[in-house]
């Protein structure tokens, strides 16, 4: 899998998948997540977006800044960026990884940079998660709402 990552323009592992790729424990702090993202780049990945949604705050770091945020780490040849978004309290998160990577792939040709595509895809995913309950389908962990913007425009 590591050799395959080196052939991709962007990999989007969550913090558990990043740990498996590196052969170590999942990151427990933002600092560890930053280090793992950079080490994945060092292994050959051109760009890395590590989803840190399950991450707790760093001891000694300004935890309040990240307490209610969805924090991800993006790393490329220009450095490491911390991307914070609104954390949505819901069980309806089925499909978030696939939705995020598909949104990035769809937005990349329409954005000037990879980072801009990643930021916009992250914003879209936050909305899809926030509106997931409107679907009212399934039991337990339901899907995100891919068409929430259309539903809002249509007044549904």
């Amino acid at each position: 899998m590591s050799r395959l990552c080196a052939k991709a323009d962007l990999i989007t592992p969550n913090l558990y998948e990043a740990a498996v790729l590196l052969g170590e424990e999942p990151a427990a702090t933002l600092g560890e997540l930053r280090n793992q993202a950079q080490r994945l780049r060092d292994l050959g990945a051109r760009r890395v977006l590590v989803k840190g949604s399950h991450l707790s705050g760093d001891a000694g770091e300004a935890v309040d800044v990240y307490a209610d945020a969805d924090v991800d780490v993006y790393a490329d040849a220009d450095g490491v960026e911390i991307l914070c978004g609104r954390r949505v309290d819901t069980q309806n998160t089925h499909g978030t990884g696939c939705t995020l990577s598909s949104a990035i792939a769809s937005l990349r040709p329409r954005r000037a940079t990879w980072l801009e595509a990643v930021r916009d895809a992250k914003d879209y995913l936050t909305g899809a998660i926030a509106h997931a309950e409107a679907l009212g389908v399934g039991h337990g962990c339901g899907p995100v709402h891919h068409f929430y913007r259309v539903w809002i425009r249509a007044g549904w």
Side-chain angles (χ1 to χ4, degrees):
M1 186 60 77
S2 296
R3 286 185 307 212
L4 191 58
C5 289
K7 297 188 180 297
D9 287 321
L10 171 72
I11 61 171
T12 60
N14 63 37
L15 62 94
Y16 302 108
E17 294 163 341
V20 169
L21 288 169
L22 292 166
E24 57 191 53
E25 292 296 312
T29 67
L30 181 57
E32 290 174 5
L33 195 65
R34 277 190 207 125
N35 289 337
Q36 286 188 346
Q38 187 56 51
R39 284 200 316 282
L40 285 168
R41 283 243 328 111
D42 293 343
L43 289 176
R46 290 182 192 106
R47 293 166 199 87
V48 178
L49 175 66
V50 183
K51 292 291 297 164
S53 297
H54 306 286
L55 190 66
S56 60
D58 281 44
E61 193 166 358
V63 176
D64 292 342
V65 173
Y66 304 112
D68 292 322
D70 173 48
V71 181
D72 302 329
V73 175
Y74 175 83
D76 65 11
D78 295 327
V80 177
E81 293 272 340
I82 306 303
L83 306 176
C84 292
R86 179 173 53 101
R87 184 183 299 266
V88 178
D89 185 21
T90 183
Q91 289 185 350
N92 299 314
T93 57
H94 186 74
T96 54
C98 295
T99 299
L100 178 64
S101 59
S102 296
I104 295 168
S106 297
L107 289 168
R108 179 55 189 108
R110 299 170 47 202
R111 301 298 185 264
T113 67
W114 278 97
L115 183 55
E116 188 178 335
V118 166
R119 282 188 173 131
D120 288 351
K122 185 173 166 64
D123 288 342
Y124 163 74
L125 179 59
T126 299
I129 293 169
H131 291 87
E133 295 209 9
L135 287 172
V137 298
H139 301 286
C141 182
V144 299
H145 192 337
H146 295 106
F147 300 105
Y148 75 94
R149 290 177 176 161
V150 175
W151 281 33
I152 289 171
R153 274 185 262 145
W156 293 341

